[in-house]
Amino acid sequence: MKLLNKILFGSLSAIFLLSGYDGFSQAPDKGSLSVAINYFNDNNKIPYVLVRVKTKVNGKFKTVPGIPLKLFLNKDSAGLLIGKVVTNESGEATSFIPPSLKKEWSATIKHSFHASFMGNTKYDSTSADLTVGKAKILIDTVGRSVVATVLELKDTSWTPVKGVDVMLAVKRLGADLNINETATFATDSTGKASGDFKRDTIPGDLKGNITLVAKVVDNDQFGNLSIEKTVHWGSKFVSKANDFNERTLFATRAKAPVWLLFIALGIIIAVWTVLILLVQNILRIKKLGQEA
Amino acid sequence: MKNSKSIASDEQIIQDLLPRKFKTSGRIWVSLLIAICLVGIYAYYRQLRYGLAVTNMRDYVSWGIYISNFVFFVAISLVGSLITAVFRLAGVKWGAPLTRIAEMIAVAAIIFASIIIIVDMGSPERFYNLFIYGRIQSPIIWDVIVITTYFFISILLLYYPLLPDIKILLRFKEKSGPGLHKFYSFLGSFWTGSHKQYLLSKKAIYALCVAIIPVAFTIHTVTSWLFATTYRPGWDSTNFGAYFIAGAFLVGAGSVVVAMYIFRTWYHLEKYITPDHFDKMGRVLVLLCLLYLYFNVNEFLTPFFKMKESEAGYLNDMFSGSFAPVFWFAIFTGILLPIIILLFKQGRKPLPMFIVGIMVVVGAWFKRYLIVTPTLLHPFMPMHDVPEMYHHYFPSWEEWAITSGSLAGAMLIITLLCRIFPIVPIQETINEHHETAK
Amino acid sequence: MNKENNSRRDFLLTGLLAAGAGLGAVAGCHSKKDPFEAAADGTVKPSGKKVKLLSVDGEVIEVDEAFLKPVPHLPAITNSEARIGIPGKKFVMVIDLSRCKNLKKCQAACNHAHDLNPGENWIKVNPMQAAEHTAPYWEPTTCMHCDEPPCVKVCPVDATFKREDGIVLIDSDRCIGCRFCMAACPYSTRVFNWGAPEISEELASQPYSCETSIPQKKGTVGKCDFCADMTRMGMLPHCVSACPNGVFFYGDLNEDSVTNGAETFRFSDLMRDKGGYRLMEDLGTKPSVYYLPAVSRNFPFESGIENDKKQNK
Ligand code: SF4
Ligand code: SF4
């Protein structure tokens, strides 16, 4: 029996080694991930959660794609699952709050989010938490200034919050342009932050409409809030003379300058007519020869 | 009496000028050329397989000796128009025996000019894009159009004056063998030499001579515009078209002199290509040399005088830098020495002329090299953030092989053409003979 | 065309603000995507599939799936669309020389994003010195996306072309590799694929897109494409987001604003206050890349020398 055991054990370990099990070599240098949760709420409508996963390589943070994560509301329990996500190429993943959590969502004025990673062959398991209070942001204009109000839910009523930094800006491509030189405006005791609009003549659309945004960015208590409003303050967009549709030397073949076409075709037709006549001439000579 | 003598000498002329089978030396020559071509083809196969990476062209020197060689071929091909058309229109009679040589050189050169430009392309399998997407704004398309046209005219200009000769050739069936005989009769069995036919052909040749001159000017001007339409120092010149044409006539005339000498000795044509021909070609050559010298002075002196910052690097490199040996070699052998030699009557004898011809052709080839490379090595922006090898250019063996292959190929075409057709027009020589006899 | 777009955009905006149907609200979230652009020029089409979500007030709302992705899923751009560009835009870049210390992060990000061969850089950072007694500085160069591009003038087959939004792109499926454009570009910005690019099989077999410039192909030319694909999604080019010093600014001239991600300026203010200029103005190429002179520098020139030695021995 003992012998049998030995044989069994020996062959098992042989199989083990031969099958190239690399768990041993992997285990010691597993990387550690850092997960960050961000809460977003735009136009006071649909909230969502964004997680960013990074790892440290040679002292520098690098985003990690392809990490599966589970997101929970309040705590890690199957009934409170927000969703399962996988990070994209830039190491980010987002999830909305599913209707199944309606009851839990409405029950509290503060929400905790919990993200957990089970660990895989390359990275150790890890998790992260974020707690935000329910808040909303409003935008309005008074004369030529923009007023943003930040309100938080206390018990059952919306109350103004003091001392929140709000960014007031005009929506532009890629990023937003502040309405004046100040980067952020703090809310006062009425929850209001206001700034003068100093971007006169900034181009808007054809009617001169521009979109204003008020944003709370990465706030410890409330996460990210934003709201937009369209106003009539921009200058009308006049489409600049664009030579895309003109006939130019750098246009496509269909838009060659007329003078060029004229000259080129003129020369080509002239020369090739002569050449064709000359070939015909050979045929004529041939005919003469065959007649003779 | 007189008549019979002239008939006898007609036969003599024909016997002298009929194309002959290759002797051993001819065979060796042809096999040598074929061997060089084959090496070139192998190099091109490598280039197709691995891409232009096998060349030593890189992002800065993005055009190398292929383009130099292309310009060289286009330049040489211009001689067809010079000897045939310009001489004919100007009533230069003595040029008649040289026309066939000139046309053969022109056809061979233009064929290889188009081949070499395809060789230079990074994606030659997309060559047809030039026809389906061709954009008339691009000088390359102008070049494609003009080269096609010029090729066609050159073929016609070779063909028309051949017709009477083909009639003569057809008489010697045993001599040419059944294959060639068939080919001859396919080309020109219809030619009876009747007056009507003669008139038609004469008119056509005249029309061709008129047509080929502007086309020849265009082909080389457009080739120069491939450079002059860019901003690069050394290329950004309004002088470029005329400069190129002057150079082209020179190298073309040089190559005709070389060919004249070779054919003369090889086929014993001393009676037909006389020292007088050499003397006259010598005068033409010296004139062309002086013209080209003038354009060179024009092209280099004014920028040298100003020494603009953007051009200084390139000019210094040419005059006293790394390109100086090639530059001065090209100027001396290609222009100055020939002028000096040719000014003496002794220098215009066949053998010295032959040597001068070779000097001119070799000098011209290096001149084309200098037109392309030094400019590209002196861009406006510094050469930076690129691998070390991008800073220099010396052609790889593949480039040399392909270039030599193309030169050998052009010579092969000329050799084969002169195997098939008489190098000196027979009928014209007979006619001339009659005229002088009268 | 423009008019139509803008009115559609208005419609969408007001619709959104009034009813707050959630459309675009999410898409507009983390500043990466301007959803209205995508929706307005019709690049994002409703999929017809509704998804139920919870609103902040705890209500269940239905939203079309297509608008839910933070970066809306765009249908593949056809070649002819890529050749026209985004109407009503005129993309510009501003490069602030006073902030550059030759870190070459831009270059690394660009090479990575476009899978370029090592050594074949679309972005080059050149040490520049105008004259002996003037101070040297680092000058990153990209394709200038000239408004009268000499490279496009000379291309025989329309393989490189100028778009309505100002971007100059290359169609590697059409390029015949004549390299005339390289000779014509005075900024020496074009790079040739002399051999087969060293990329994975999988990538190489992907269909080529003019906007992503991927995959590069043997025997064709390549160059900076202003990350036309990123711009279409409302994101910034890779070099802009990669530079830790905020050297690169990118934006739409028609909106008069440029941003490096962290800071946003009015383009006209930058030009006026900092003395913006373009390279080789005398050639008449009318570049779309503007430079701010290397005054009041953030770093001494010397700080970039060490980093330069890796590529330029
Ligand atoms: S910088 Fe060069 S490649 Fe770019 S558009 Fe201008 S000329 Fe063309
Ligand atoms: S290399 Fe390609 S893009 Fe450039 S000019 Fe030639 S065909 Fe056009």
Side-chain angles (χ1 to χ4, degrees):
Chain A
M1 203 62 195
K2 247 185 179 175
L3 188 70
L4 202 66
N5 266 343
K6 260 187 189 162
I7 293 170
L8 203 66
F9 183 77
S11 49
L12 267 181
S13 41
I15 290 168
F16 206 54
L17 286 174
L18 285 175
S19 64
Y21 176 73
D22 55 357
F24 298 124
S25 56
Q26 285 275 334
D29 53 347
K30 266 194 185 184
S32 67
L33 293 179
S34 83
V35 179
I37 311 179
N38 297 276
Y39 168 79
F40 287 87
N41 181 11
D42 296 325
N43 290 325
N44 306 321
K45 276 294 157 193
I46 305 176
Y48 71 96
V49 192
L50 178 135
V51 273
R52 287 200 181 93
V53 181
K54 287 181 182 169
T55 187
K56 211 169 192 172
V57 181
N58 303 330
K60 281 174 199 158
F61 277 110
K62 252 184 65 184
T63 55
V64 194
I67 297 294
L69 292 154
K70 277 186 184 164
L71 296 171
F72 299 96
L73 186 65
N74 298 341
K75 60 177 186 290
D76 187 350
S77 93
L80 294 172
L81 183 72
I82 295 177
K84 291 179 190 169
V85 292
V86 179
T87 55
N88 65 9
E89 259 168 59
S90 42
E92 293 176 353
T94 51
S95 182
F96 300 93
I97 319 293
S100 53
L101 296 174
K102 189 169 168 31
K103 211 177 93 216
E104 289 80 4
W105 182 264
S106 310
T108 53
I109 56 165
K110 272 199 178 59
H111 303 299
S112 298
F113 299 99
H114 180 80
S116 72
F117 166 59
M118 302 302 285
N120 60 14
T121 51
K122 267 179 154 174
Y123 299 103
D124 286 325
S125 63
T126 183
S127 65
D129 291 282
L130 174 80
T131 306
V132 289
K134 261 191 203 167
K136 65 179 173 184
I137 185 165
L138 306 174
I139 189 168
D140 206 354
T141 52
V142 180
R144 272 270 171 156
S145 50
V146 186
V147 183
T149 317
V150 181
L151 302 167
E152 88 180 295
L153 192 63
K154 276 198 175 152
D155 300 329
T156 52
S157 62
W158 290 100
T159 38
V161 203
K162 194 184 159 187
V164 180
D165 285 336
V166 183
M167 179 184 164
L168 301 174
V170 185
K171 223 174 163 63
R172 299 279 93 169
L173 176 99
D176 304 330
L177 177 68
N178 292 332
I179 55 167
N180 61 33
E181 303 307 322
T182 323
T184 53
F185 304 83
T187 51
D188 58 14
S189 54
T190 59
K192 285 191 179 3
S194 71
D196 293 336
F197 181 78
K198 293 221 181 102
R199 303 291 184 183
D200 295 319
T201 71
I202 187 111
D205 64 7
L206 281 181
K207 293 193 211 110
N209 288 334
I210 53 172
T211 306
L212 298 173
V213 277
K215 276 196 209 170
V216 172
V217 181
D218 274 340
N219 187 283
D220 295 342
Q221 295 175 52
F222 310 116
N224 298 276
L225 308 172
S226 83
I227 185 135
E228 299 177 357
K229 180 183 167 76
T230 303
V231 290
H232 198 67
W233 294 349
S235 63
K236 287 187 182 140
F237 170 69
V238 221
S239 155
K240 305 241 165 48
N242 190 328
D243 41 31
F244 180 71
N245 287 314
E246 274 166 33
R247 291 183 169 272
T248 54
L249 284 174
F250 45 87
T252 55
R253 66 199 294 246
K255 290 178 279 184
V258 178
W259 59 265
L260 182 66
L261 279 177
F262 195 73
I263 295 176
L265 287 179
I267 296 177
I268 293 171
I269 291 173
V271 173
W272 279 91
T273 321
V274 172
L275 291 187
I276 290 168
L277 285 179
L278 288 174
V279 172
Q280 239 174 27
N281 200 34
I282 295 181
L283 298 180
R284 259 166 72 197
I285 293 179
K286 197 167 183 174
K287 226 166 141 198
L288 277 176
Q290 277 155 353
E291 275 164 14
Chain B
M1 170 88 189
K2 210 174 190 181
N3 210 3
S4 66
K5 188 187 164 198
S6 101
I7 286 173
S9 65
D10 280 2
E11 284 311 310
Q12 184 58 44
I13 293 175
I14 293 173
Q15 284 307 326
D16 282 350
L17 297 182
L18 273 187
R20 271 164 253 177
K21 286 218 173 72
F22 291 135
K23 292 198 204 100
T24 338
S25 58
R27 292 223 180 87
I28 293 175
W29 170 245
V30 170
S31 359
L32 184 72
L33 290 180
I34 292 181
I36 300 177
C37 284
L38 286 179
V39 177
I41 290 172
Y42 172 67
Y44 187 55
Y45 157 75
R46 278 181 51 84
Q47 179 178 317
L48 280 181
R49 177 135 180 231
Y50 302 107
L52 285 171
V54 302
T55 71
N56 275 345
M57 291 186 275
R58 288 300 179 262
D59 289 350
Y60 288 101
V61 184
S62 52
W63 283 344
I65 53 169
Y66 292 158
I67 295 288
S68 312
N69 207 28
F70 164 71
V71 178
F72 178 75
F73 276 130
V74 174
I76 281 203
S77 77
L78 241 59
V79 72
S81 73
L82 174 78
I83 306 274
T84 328
V86 179
F87 281 13
R88 203 182 284 250
L89 293 180
V92 179
K93 280 261 160 50
W94 58 264
L98 311 182
T99 49
R100 182 79 33 84
I101 299 180
E103 274 312 317
M104 285 175 177
I105 295 180
V107 168
I110 202 73
I111 289 175
F112 273 89
S114 19
I115 290 180
I116 208 78
I117 202 76
I118 296 175
V119 166
D120 184 66
M121 282 172 31
S123 307
E125 73 279 7
R126 299 190 186 154
F127 182 70
Y128 63 90
N129 278 3
L130 284 172
F131 302 100
I132 52 177
Y133 299 119
R135 216 175 138 264
I136 195 69
Q137 292 101 315
S138 166
I140 287 196
I141 293 294
W142 307 345
D143 225 12
V144 169
I145 295 173
V146 177
I147 287 183
T148 322
T149 314
Y150 190 76
F151 172 68
F152 204 70
I153 298 190
S154 295
I155 291 276
L156 282 179
L157 201 47
L158 184 63
Y159 181 64
Y160 264 109
L162 255 182
L163 285 172
D165 284 3
I166 287 182
K167 189 179 165 218
I168 297 174
L169 288 173
L170 280 173
R171 282 185 10 219
F172 299 91
K173 189 167 176 183
E174 325 77 76
K175 214 174 164 204
S176 42
L180 261 184
H181 186 79
K182 245 195 187 149
F183 181 61
Y184 289 147
S185 50
F186 165 74
L187 281 181
S189 61
F190 54 83
W191 180 266
T192 59
S194 72
H195 189 61
K196 266 190 187 163
Q197 280 187 330
Y198 175 70
L199 279 186
L200 278 180
S201 138
K202 197 177 160 192
K203 248 173 56 194
I205 293 179
Y206 186 77
L208 277 170
C209 288
V210 176
I212 202 171
I213 294 174
V215 176
F217 271 69
T218 323
I219 179 175
H220 214 43
T221 310
V222 167
T223 303
S224 83
W225 285 348
L226 295 183
F227 305 98
T229 48
T230 70
Y231 295 101
R232 305 268 178 163
W235 292 355
D236 186 5
S237 155
T238 47
N239 196 12
F240 243 44
Y243 171 53
F244 267 48
I245 288 184
F249 279 151
L250 175 62
V251 56
S255 65
V256 166
V257 170
V258 174
M260 265 163 73
Y261 184 85
I262 293 178
F263 287 133
R264 181 177 189 257
T265 19
W266 209 342
Y267 288 114
H268 302 291
L269 301 177
E270 285 86 355
K271 251 191 280 171
Y272 306 93
I273 304 175
T274 61
D276 191 43
H277 282 121
F278 279 95
D279 186 65
K280 287 193 168 125
M281 271 312 279
R283 287 162 200 255
V284 172
L285 208 56
V286 81
L287 185 77
L288 291 170
C289 273
L290 286 168
L291 186 70
Y292 193 46
L293 179 66
Y294 163 74
F295 274 110
N296 270 286
V297 171
N298 223 340
E299 188 60 35
F300 289 108
L301 185 78
T302 43
F304 175 75
F305 191 86
K306 288 177 284 194
M307 268 297 168
K308 276 201 279 187
E309 178 56 31
S310 55
E311 293 184 332
Y314 140 83
L315 287 172
N316 288 331
D317 218 3
M318 287 276 238
F319 294 150
S320 51
S322 50
F323 287 102
V326 190
F327 178 76
W328 294 113
F329 170 79
I331 294 283
F332 274 101
T333 37
I335 308 175
L336 294 178
L337 285 178
I339 294 180
I340 296 169
I341 297 175
L342 294 177
L343 282 178
F344 296 99
K345 200 164 172 54
Q346 289 299 320
R348 297 196 295 270
K349 290 252 150 57
L351 184 64
M353 277 290 286
F354 172 60
I355 295 168
V356 167
I358 289 183
M359 276 163 59
V360 164
V361 174
V362 172
W365 195 90
F366 282 100
K367 199 81 207 324
R368 302 301 176 281
Y369 177 73
L370 290 173
I371 285 173
V372 179
T373 308
T375 285
L376 287 170
L377 279 173
H378 292 277
F380 290 109
M381 303 302 270
M383 295 197 272
H384 197 74
D385 276 5
V386 288
E388 160 65 17
M389 74 168 293
Y390 286 31
H391 294 247
H392 324 279
Y393 174 66
F394 188 80
S396 67
W397 79 260
E398 283 91 348
E399 285 176 272
W400 286 119
I402 291 176
T403 305
S404 332
S406 69
L407 292 169
M411 287 195 260
L412 189 64
I413 291 191
I414 298 172
T415 314
L416 292 181
L417 281 177
C418 79
R419 165 71 190 84
I420 302 175
F421 302 117
I423 331 151
V424 175
I426 304 179
Q427 191 63 48
E428 256 178 88
T429 317
I430 294 176
N431 292 351
E432 211 179 310
H433 186 76
H434 285 202
E435 264 173 47
T436 41
K438 266 179 224 162
Chain C
M1 185 69 201
N2 261 330
K3 194 161 188 173
E4 197 189 325
N5 274 337
N6 279 303
S7 54
R8 269 189 73 183
R9 175 175 169 176
D10 287 348
F11 166 72
L12 284 164
L13 278 176
T14 36
L16 170 84
L17 289 166
L23 171 154
V26 171
C29 53
H30 53 286
S31 84
K32 279 195 162 175
K33 172 61 199 159
D34 185 353
F36 316 118
E37 285 330 309
D41 48 33
T43 41
V44 178
K45 300 198 176 62
S47 63
K49 224 169 123 191
K50 301 280 184 209
V51 181
K52 285 204 174 102
L53 291 175
L54 205 58
S55 85
V56 74
D57 300 326
E59 288 154 22
V60 178
I61 8 182
E62 279 198 345
V63 183
D64 193 291
E65 201 183 29
F67 297 105
L68 275 184
K69 309 224 168 67
V71 176
H73 181 74
L74 303 180
I77 301 296
T78 65
N79 184 286
S80 50
E81 281 173 308
R83 282 173 175 268
I84 292 172
I86 308 172
K89 301 261 173 213
K90 170 73 186 84
F91 295 111
V92 286
M93 181 176 272
V94 178
I95 297 178
D96 188 348
L97 299 177
S98 66
R99 301 174 175 206
C100 181
K101 64 181 250 185
N102 190 28
L103 275 181
K104 295 199 207 282
K105 295 274 185 218
C106 49
Q107 195 179 65
C110 174
N111 292 4
H112 176 74
H114 299 102
D115 271 291
L116 302 184
N117 272 359
E120 297 189 349
N121 306 311
W122 289 357
I123 298 185
K124 300 186 177 83
V125 189
N126 297 323
M128 300 297 279
Q129 187 168 19
E132 198 189 340
H133 297 293
T134 60
Y137 57 91
W138 297 104
E139 182 179 81
T141 58
T142 64
C143 169
M144 302 288 146
H145 295 273
C146 308
D147 281 348
E148 302 201 354
C151 57
V152 175
K153 277 187 192 170
V154 300
C155 179
V157 294
D158 262 344
T160 183
F161 50 88
K162 176 88 185 160
R163 310 203 304 178
E164 194 173 351
D165 54 15
I167 300 183
V168 173
L169 292 181
I170 296 165
D171 185 345
S172 286
D173 281 335
R174 191 182 288 184
C175 173
I176 59 169
C178 66
R179 311 191 293 292
F180 198 0
C181 53
M182 301 182 75
C185 170
Y187 304 96
S188 302
T189 188
R190 289 180 166 247
V191 165
F192 199 72
N193 290 298
W194 298 98
E198 300 160 20
I199 48 178
S200 66
E201 280 287 308
E202 188 195 354
L203 195 69
S205 59
Q206 223 170 276
Y208 175 82
S209 147
C210 300
E211 291 204 339
T212 56
S213 304
I214 290 175
Q216 287 291 300
K217 297 188 172 176
K218 177 179 114 186
T220 64
V221 79
K223 69 160 187 71
C224 153
D225 56 5
F226 255 18
C227 292
D229 55 324
M230 301 291 282
T231 350
R232 194 176 278 278
M233 295 188 289
M235 297 192 213
L236 294 173
H238 297 288
C239 52
V240 178
S241 8
C243 179
N245 298 324
V247 170
F248 296 86
F249 292 84
Y250 190 80
D252 178 2
L253 189 66
N254 290 340
E255 284 189 343
D256 195 20
S257 92
V258 286
T259 181
N260 62 9
E263 300 154 282
T264 309
F265 292 103
R266 264 187 97 156
F267 173 78
S268 48
D269 286 354
L270 268 189
M271 288 300 115
R272 187 193 57 216
D273 299 341
K274 300 216 169 162
Y277 65 96
R278 304 188 288 194
L279 298 186
M280 295 182 221
E281 198 69 74
D282 54 325
L283 299 183
T285 51
K286 306 202 170 63
S288 298
V289 177
Y290 293 76
Y291 284 84
L292 303 180
V295 289
S296 335
R297 306 184 189 195
N298 291 1
F299 310 101
F301 174 78
E302 289 69 29
S303 61
I305 292 178
E306 199 44 47
N307 198 27
D308 210 49
K309 290 193 180 138
K310 268 180 243 154
Q311 275 185 62
N312 303 280
K313 276 149 247 161

